[in-house]
Amino acid sequence: MNRMLLILLLLAAIMVPANVRAEVYQPLSPWNIHYAESACDLKRIFKGASGEIQIQISQAFDLRGASFYLVTKPTTKRRYWEADVVFTIDETGAELKKNAYFLRNRDENLLIWQIYGFDIAFLEDLPDEITLRLNSAKNSEVALRLTGMKSVNEALEQCQRNLYEAFGVDYGQVELLSRLPKPDHSPGRWVTAYDYPTEALRKDLEGTTRFMLLVDREGRTENCVILQSSGHQSLDDQACKLLEKRARFIPALNEKGERVTSTWISAVRWQVPR
């Protein structure tokens, strides 16, 4: 009996592979920051034995949130799916779990990881060099050696300050908020393709309307200001009309935790349905 048990244990040891950690991809390029029209894009390329990986962190007007993108080689033929991604930092043991969208680009044979609402504070107050690991179901672990983390945080903060000031918003006042205004339901429902002005639709007018909303202490929209026109008055007017009617927020809080009037900046992209 003991002999049979020993054989089974040996077979189990042979059949279960060792927990081999993923290759750590090393930086191939420095951090490159791009001042986009409405966001700060921080990009870097990493190289390993299996090829290259690109990381991009995009921060717009949300002081504590960002979008996180990773471009890797696909490990499945699936076209699109959602799954949780667990971020882990080796040096501190810190962990963050976020929902991600995976999109396979067939033409270039790439897999794009898209994580929205990424908590930028997860990358703050870290050693200047860290190993970041990303794990998700149906994907191999991705490990990246991140260096120059201090410069990353400084670059994002400066770029965001420039964004606010470019639109005439006092960044110093925004920094005093302990919580920014937050939409209480999906902003994508505030202005939809069904709201296209008839005349603009007939003429195939398109463009992007960038706006700023004044949000009161109850989370209601008091005013809509066009920061950057779509190039068509009818589209801009329609955007503000609908935003003032439909946009509702969880109000901002000051450093004392009190509700305060604040602003929210975003954009409506007008694109004729085809």
Side-chain angles (χ1 to χ4, degrees):
M1 182 69 177
N2 290 337
R3 183 178 179 183
M4 179 60 69
L5 180 60
L6 179 61
I7 292 174
L8 291 174
L9 290 173
L10 288 172
L11 286 173
I14 294 172
M15 293 174 66
V16 177
N19 186 20
V20 179
R21 305 211 76 177
E23 173 194 8
V24 179
Y25 281 64
Q26 301 298 323
L28 181 62
S29 71
W31 288 105
N32 293 308
I33 190 162
H34 177 248
Y35 290 74
E37 181 180 310
S38 59
C40 310
D41 297 333
L42 201 60
K43 301 179 181 181
R44 196 171 197 181
I45 298 174
F46 298 81
K47 188 171 181 61
S50 303
E52 296 181 359
I53 289 177
Q54 178 176 302
I55 184 175
Q56 176 178 324
I57 303 172
S58 297
Q59 190 170 17
F61 296 96
D62 184 349
L63 293 177
R64 296 157 188 87
S67 297
F68 187 101
Y69 304 92
L70 199 68
V71 181
T72 65
K73 291 294 183 182
T75 55
T76 175
K77 292 184 178 181
R78 294 176 68 186
R79 179 78 173 89
Y80 175 86
W81 70 96
E82 293 183 41
D84 287 333
V85 172
V86 178
F87 295 78
T88 308
I89 297 174
D90 282 3
E91 289 71 16
T92 64
E95 187 174 289
L96 177 68
K97 186 177 181 180
K98 297 295 295 184
N99 180 253
Y101 302 90
F102 294 86
L103 177 65
R104 181 168 170 252
N105 185 319
R106 296 175 180 174
D107 294 337
E108 300 179 25
N109 195 33
L110 297 174
L111 179 64
I112 303 173
W113 306 37
Q114 304 169 329
I115 298 99
Y116 302 111
F118 178 81
D119 186 359
I120 200 67
F122 182 69
L123 297 178
E124 294 177 350
D125 301 321
L126 293 172
D128 205 45
E129 296 190 13
I130 62 169
T131 298
L132 176 67
R133 298 181 186 273
L134 293 84
N135 283 283
S136 178
K138 301 185 184 299
N139 290 290
S140 302
E141 179 184 80
V142 174
L144 305 170
R145 187 63 179 170
L146 302 184
T147 60
M149 294 307 297
K150 184 177 180 180
S151 64
V152 168
N153 291 316
E154 289 175 350
L156 286 175
E157 182 177 356
Q158 184 57 50
C159 184
Q160 192 170 61
R161 180 183 296 274
N162 293 344
L163 279 178
Y164 273 97
E165 292 177 352
F167 289 110
V169 180
D170 186 348
Y171 185 74
Q173 292 300 314
V174 175
E175 282 186 303
L176 293 176
L177 299 176
S178 62
R179 183 181 75 191
L180 295 175
K182 180 181 179 181
D184 70 353
H185 60 284
S186 174
R189 298 178 183 176
W190 294 346
V191 183
T192 71
Y194 296 106
D195 298 312
Y196 230 107
T198 304
E199 187 67 12
L201 189 61
R202 186 178 64 81
K203 294 181 178 179
D204 281 347
L205 301 183
E206 297 184 331
T208 299
T209 300
R210 186 155 301 282
F211 60 87
M212 178 173 67
L213 300 179
L214 183 63
V215 182
D216 69 15
R217 296 175 184 176
E218 302 304 318
R220 294 187 295 263
T221 301
E222 287 189 341
N223 191 27
C224 173
V225 178
I226 300 299
L227 298 176
Q228 192 172 62
S229 174
S230 63
H232 308 289
Q233 186 71 43
S234 61
L235 297 181
D236 297 341
D237 289 346
Q238 179 77 329
C240 271
K241 176 184 175 182
L242 293 170
L243 289 164
E244 290 178 349
K245 179 181 179 181
R246 298 174 179 172
R248 293 293 180 270
F249 295 84
I250 299 170
L253 301 178
N254 62 16
E255 65 274 18
K256 297 179 182 179
E258 302 167 334
R259 294 183 177 187
V260 293
T261 298
S262 58
T263 57
W264 194 74
I265 299 175
S266 190
V268 173
R269 183 184 179 191
W270 295 100
Q271 188 171 26
V272 175
R274 306 191 188 280

